[in-house]
Short mmCIF file of all heavy atoms in Angstrom, two decimals:
data_model
loop_
_atom_site.label_atom_id
_atom_site.label_comp_id
_atom_site.label_asym_id
_atom_site.label_seq_id
_atom_site.Cartn_x
_atom_site.Cartn_y
_atom_site.Cartn_z
N ASN X 48 -8.85 1.78 6.28
CA ASN X 48 -10.25 1.95 6.68
C ASN X 48 -10.78 3.39 6.41
O ASN X 48 -11.94 3.58 6.15
CB ASN X 48 -10.38 1.66 8.19
CG ASN X 48 -10.18 0.18 8.49
OD1 ASN X 48 -10.26 -0.65 7.53
ND2 ASN X 48 -9.88 -0.16 9.72
N ALA X 49 -9.83 4.36 6.43
CA ALA X 49 -10.24 5.74 6.21
C ALA X 49 -10.20 6.10 4.74
O ALA X 49 -10.48 7.22 4.36
CB ALA X 49 -9.37 6.69 7.02
N GLY X 50 -9.87 5.13 3.87
CA GLY X 50 -9.87 5.36 2.42
C GLY X 50 -8.68 6.16 1.93
O GLY X 50 -8.80 6.93 0.95
N PHE X 51 -7.53 6.01 2.56
CA PHE X 51 -6.36 6.72 2.11
C PHE X 51 -5.32 5.87 1.38
O PHE X 51 -4.29 6.35 0.97
CB PHE X 51 -5.65 7.42 3.29
CG PHE X 51 -6.41 8.64 3.76
CD1 PHE X 51 -7.13 8.67 4.93
CD2 PHE X 51 -6.42 9.80 2.95
CE1 PHE X 51 -7.78 9.79 5.37
CE2 PHE X 51 -7.13 10.94 3.37
CZ PHE X 51 -7.81 10.97 4.55
N LEU X 52 -5.60 4.59 1.26
CA LEU X 52 -4.64 3.77 0.53
C LEU X 52 -5.07 3.54 -0.92
O LEU X 52 -6.26 3.29 -1.19
CB LEU X 52 -4.46 2.41 1.21
CG LEU X 52 -3.82 2.45 2.60
CD1 LEU X 52 -3.51 1.01 3.10
CD2 LEU X 52 -2.57 3.26 2.67
N GLY X 53 -4.13 3.69 -1.80
CA GLY X 53 -4.47 3.41 -3.22
C GLY X 53 -5.24 4.54 -3.89
O GLY X 53 -5.86 4.35 -4.91
N MET X 54 -5.22 5.74 -3.28
CA MET X 54 -6.00 6.85 -3.79
C MET X 54 -5.76 7.10 -5.30
O MET X 54 -6.66 7.22 -6.06
CB MET X 54 -5.62 8.13 -3.06
CG MET X 54 -6.38 8.34 -1.84
SD MET X 54 -6.10 10.01 -1.29
CE MET X 54 -7.69 10.31 -0.58
N GLY X 55 -4.47 7.19 -5.63
CA GLY X 55 -4.13 7.58 -7.04
C GLY X 55 -4.18 6.43 -7.99
O GLY X 55 -3.95 6.67 -9.20
N LEU X 56 -4.40 5.23 -7.53
CA LEU X 56 -4.39 4.12 -8.45
C LEU X 56 -5.73 3.95 -9.15
O LEU X 56 -6.78 4.36 -8.55
CB LEU X 56 -4.02 2.81 -7.71
CG LEU X 56 -2.63 2.77 -7.09
CD1 LEU X 56 -2.38 1.44 -6.34
CD2 LEU X 56 -1.55 3.02 -8.12
N SER X 57 -5.72 3.34 -10.31
CA SER X 57 -6.97 3.24 -11.05
C SER X 57 -7.91 2.24 -10.38
O SER X 57 -7.51 1.36 -9.64
CB SER X 57 -6.73 2.85 -12.50
OG SER X 57 -6.39 1.48 -12.52
N GLU X 58 -9.23 2.45 -10.69
CA GLU X 58 -10.20 1.57 -10.05
C GLU X 58 -10.01 0.10 -10.55
O GLU X 58 -10.35 -0.83 -9.83
CB GLU X 58 -11.62 2.08 -10.36
CG GLU X 58 -11.91 3.23 -9.42
CD GLU X 58 -12.89 4.27 -9.99
OE1 GLU X 58 -12.66 4.72 -11.13
OE2 GLU X 58 -13.81 4.63 -9.29
N ASP X 59 -9.49 -0.05 -11.70
CA ASP X 59 -9.18 -1.41 -12.27
C ASP X 59 -8.41 -2.27 -11.30
O ASP X 59 -8.56 -3.48 -11.27
CB ASP X 59 -8.23 -1.33 -13.48
CG ASP X 59 -8.92 -0.75 -14.70
OD1 ASP X 59 -10.11 -0.44 -14.56
OD2 ASP X 59 -8.23 -0.71 -15.74
#
Side-chain angles (χ1 to χ4, degrees):
N48 291 342
F51 285 108
L52 294 189
M54 272 193 147
L56 297 180
S57 76
E58 282 151 311
D59 287 2

